[in-house]
Amino acid sequence: MPPDMYGPHIEFREYSFLENPRLPDAVARSRVVLDARGGADAAEAATGAEVVRAEAGASMPELRQLLAQPEAARARVLHLPEATLESLHGSWQTFPPDDLKKFTDRLQAYPTTFCCMDGHPAHVWYNFLADVPHTDRFGREHTPEFKLYRGETREPCL
């Protein structure tokens, strides 16, 4: 993905990479936990991970500043507990306008899986922006009311 259109490269790993026995100990121990609920649980504290605390609903510029702190920036793994994700839901909308466009364009470019539905193999395009009004990759206007579309069709199938 060109960085000028979609933002900087993001290094993704499979969901289970932290459980892989070949994962170097240095990587497994190099963690920072982002806590936006005011209390990383005891299990997180026991790992020895650095904990960076944010206010619930913090803006992206605030989160960027917190995660640029040396103890967070040197970590190889950023852990976002479920409670933190819930309390920061919507924070992505506080990106500066140019960054917000790159971020939403990136989300709309991601397919999520490949399947065979009714004998027609295809990628399943997950709509990451389903809860906010937007225009999807196929030019369809969306409102927060959920509608299921098949491929590039204009009419909902449910």
Side-chain angles (χ1 to χ4, degrees):
M1 300 183 118
D4 59 324
M5 292 176 62
Y6 299 102
H9 174 72
I10 298 174
E11 194 66 46
F12 288 103
R13 298 282 189 248
E14 71 277 5
Y15 73 94
S16 61
F17 91 99
L18 292 173
E19 298 161 7
N20 188 322
R22 295 179 294 178
L23 180 74
D25 284 342
V27 173
R29 287 191 313 264
S30 179
R31 284 171 56 110
V32 66
V33 177
L34 180 60
D35 173 28
R37 283 291 178 143
D41 66 26
E44 290 300 335
T47 67
E50 291 285 342
V51 177
V52 175
R53 301 196 191 286
E55 294 293 323
S59 70
M60 291 310 290
E62 291 167 339
L63 293 171
R64 193 176 273 167
Q65 184 177 15
L66 282 171
L67 295 173
Q69 295 175 15
E71 61 273 11
R74 70 175 157 256
R76 301 287 305 273
V77 177
L78 172 62
H79 179 74
L80 302 167
E82 186 174 341
T84 292
L85 288 172
E86 289 172 5
S87 70
L88 295 175
H89 183 267
S91 292
W92 63 271
Q93 295 179 44
T94 65
F95 274 121
D98 288 346
D99 291 344
L100 181 60
K101 178 166 179 13
K102 289 176 185 176
F103 180 72
T104 56
D105 287 352
R106 176 189 295 260
L107 289 180
Q108 291 193 63
Y110 290 149
T112 56
T113 190
F114 184 83
C115 81
C116 296
M117 187 166 73
D118 296 333
H120 302 285
H123 283 94
V124 175
W125 296 99
Y126 180 77
N127 187 354
F128 287 98
L129 304 174
D131 59 343
V132 294
H134 70 283
T135 302
D136 73 11
R137 77 187 87 239
F138 303 114
R140 297 177 295 216
E141 296 293 324
H142 288 267
T143 63
E145 176 189 346
F146 179 76
K147 295 177 187 166
L148 178 64
Y149 292 92
R150 197 180 269 181
E152 296 181 37
T153 60
R154 295 279 172 200
E155 295 299 317
C157 59
L158 289 180

